[in-house]
Amino acid sequence: MKNFFIFLVLISFVAGTSGEAQTVKAKIDFETLEHDFGTFKEEDGSQTYNFKFVNNGASPLILNNVRAACGCTTPQWTKAPVAPGQEGFIKVSYNPRNRPGPFNKTVSVTSNSEKPNTILRIKGVVEQREKTLAEQYPRQIGPLRAKNNHISIVKITENEVRTEELELINDTDEPVSLSFKTPPKHLTVKAVPETIPAKGKGKVVVAYDAKELNTYGFMMHRIYLNINGESNYRNSIGISATIEEDFSALTAEELANAPVVAFNEKVHDFGDINQGDEVEYTFNIKNEGQRDLIIRRVKTSCGCTAVTPEKKIISKNEVVPLKVKFSSKGKRGRQNKSITVITNDPKNPTTILRVSTNIKVTG
């Protein structure tokens, strides 16, 4: 009986000690872990909510870190230790500017609580505000505005003529007349109307004639506007196009016997070189098809890289070297350059070769 009594005393002591160990830690309890802002307008600006909590533990509570999932959510929080029984807060603000639509964001809270990690969540729906004319047409071309100052023709075949338009807005109180400096011969350009009325709209119409260029690959050009009879090089519109060979008329037999381009490798690393060094490497091009392979164009990504194909017409099973020279003059650090090779291979007309190096600056 005596031993049983001692056993009960020991159990009570251990249980009491364990209970004390459970209560010495801090304990963070939030009123809520989620807040819904509902639907609000973008022009209402930042929305803020305070997540309140209580330290229901026996030790001071310390918030080690409060981290939002994105820059649109900015938290502030109680930095001082929160005594047992006392309250603290985490204020979370959401900036809706240029973020229309529903959102659902999280804030991670790390503390010395018995449960050290807590996730808070905010959500809502932002109604898009009406954009100003300047926001809708952010590019300025003299007194005129446009959504952009570039016309992009993604793909055009070698014999195709493509027409594209660029809308212009005259937000001034005076009419604006338009004409153009002599554009390249492959571009036909006109303004419709030639005089855009005050607070009115117009457009630049560009007809791109690819056959006039007699080339392939990516091309970039610029047209210059005369506004109210005055010439200013800043008033210009960029025009880009990627010209591709037209293989649509090839028969099944012609495709089966077509040239096939192959390279021994497509990537070469020169390793470490000193600033000012000029290095070179030779890629090998092979025609694995039945008919002659023709190199239509070779273009590098910068003037520091020079490419010299030994010949442009490659017979069946013939291998031709393509020498690449890279000059490191005026450059430093890691460099990555590309060489675009365009051929008459109908299945693979464009190949990208890459060279790289690390340029060390000595002295």
Side-chain angles (χ1 to χ4, degrees):
M1 187 70 179
K2 181 179 180 181
N3 289 338
F4 179 73
F5 178 77
I6 293 172
F7 177 71
L8 290 176
V9 170
L10 288 172
I11 290 177
S12 300
F13 176 78
V14 170
T17 304
S18 175
E20 290 177 2
Q22 289 176 354
T23 59
V24 296
K25 287 187 176 181
K27 183 183 179 185
I28 189 169
D29 286 326
F30 284 91
E31 289 181 347
T32 181
L33 298 178
E34 182 177 298
H35 177 71
D36 189 346
F37 287 110
T39 299
F40 59 96
K41 295 180 179 180
E42 185 181 344
E43 57 264 34
D44 291 342
S46 292
Q47 304 295 300
T48 300
Y49 182 76
N50 269 339
F51 287 93
K52 295 180 180 179
F53 63 84
V54 177
N55 178 7
N56 285 325
S59 297
L61 174 70
I62 300 172
L63 299 183
N64 298 319
N65 191 24
V66 178
R67 182 169 54 87
C70 75
C72 55
T73 307
T74 307
Q76 297 177 336
W77 64 93
T78 302
K79 299 295 176 66
V82 180
Q86 297 300 305
E87 294 184 348
F89 71 91
I90 296 175
K91 183 168 71 172
V92 179
S93 297
Y94 180 79
N95 183 1
R97 181 174 175 78
N98 296 325
R99 297 184 178 97
F103 65 90
N104 192 325
K105 304 296 180 181
T106 59
V107 176
S108 301
V109 181
T110 306
S111 70
N112 66 334
S113 173
E114 61 182 14
K115 291 183 178 179
N117 298 309
T118 305
I119 300 296
L120 306 177
R121 187 178 299 276
I122 58 171
K123 61 183 180 179
V125 178
V126 180
E127 290 184 349
Q128 185 174 18
R129 64 183 171 83
E130 186 176 349
K131 291 186 177 181
T132 65
L133 188 68
E135 289 175 317
Q136 295 178 59
Y137 298 87
R139 299 291 183 182
Q140 282 192 276
I141 306 174
L144 302 174
R145 287 190 170 275
K147 290 184 177 179
N148 57 67
N149 59 354
H150 182 259
I151 295 175
S152 176
I153 300 175
V154 180
K155 291 181 181 180
I156 183 171
T157 57
E158 57 191 323
N159 295 314
E160 187 179 354
V161 177
R162 182 83 60 82
T163 300
E164 298 288 347
E165 300 178 352
L166 180 67
E167 186 181 34
L168 297 175
I169 300 294
N170 178 8
D171 192 33
T172 72
D173 296 323
E174 300 292 336
V176 175
S177 64
L178 284 181
S179 61
F180 303 91
K181 290 185 179 180
T182 306
K185 65 178 183 178
H186 67 286
L187 298 177
T188 302
V189 187
K190 63 180 179 179
V192 181
E194 293 183 353
T195 298
I196 303 176
K199 304 298 181 181
K201 293 184 178 181
K203 58 187 177 181
V204 172
V205 181
V206 178
Y208 195 107
D209 189 349
K211 65 179 179 294
E212 286 287 346
L213 282 172
N214 192 30
T215 190
Y216 300 89
F218 180 79
M219 301 296 294
M220 183 72 188
H221 312 277
R222 192 161 288 278
I223 56 174
Y224 295 90
L225 288 69
N226 296 322
I227 297 179
N228 293 329
E230 294 183 3
S231 174
N232 188 326
Y233 74 93
R234 292 194 180 111
N235 299 330
S236 66
I237 298 172
I239 301 174
S240 64
T242 299
I243 303 172
E244 297 183 343
E245 189 164 353
D246 187 4
F247 299 108
S248 61
L250 294 180
T251 65
E253 181 181 358
E254 288 172 328
L255 285 172
N257 293 308
V260 177
V261 66
F263 292 84
N264 61 324
E265 58 180 331
K266 296 180 181 179
V267 178
H268 179 73
D269 191 342
F270 290 111
D272 291 341
I273 64 175
N274 294 320
Q275 189 180 54
D277 287 352
E278 184 174 280
V279 290
E280 63 179 55
Y281 179 76
T282 299
F283 292 95
N284 288 326
I285 308 176
K286 183 180 180 181
N287 179 9
E288 296 181 346
Q290 301 300 310
R291 296 183 178 175
D292 288 349
L293 177 72
I294 303 172
I295 299 176
R296 299 294 194 191
R297 187 183 179 198
V298 180
K299 183 182 179 181
T300 61
S301 60
C302 81
C304 57
T305 308
V307 180
T308 308
E310 188 172 281
K311 56 192 301 188
K312 292 190 175 182
I313 300 177
I314 305 173
S315 303
K316 174 182 176 181
N317 292 325
E318 185 179 7
V319 177
V320 170
L322 183 72
K323 185 180 291 186
V324 176
K325 291 184 179 180
F326 174 78
S327 173
S328 63
K329 184 178 180 181
K331 300 189 179 299
R332 62 174 62 200
R334 192 69 186 171
Q335 300 288 317
N336 296 279
K337 306 301 177 185
S338 63
I339 302 101
T340 303
V341 182
I342 300 173
T343 69
N344 65 331
D345 178 349
K347 293 183 179 180
N348 187 29
T350 303
T351 304
I352 306 295
L353 307 178
R354 302 189 186 278
V355 294
S356 58
T357 185
N358 182 53
I359 301 173
K360 299 185 296 182
V361 180
T362 59

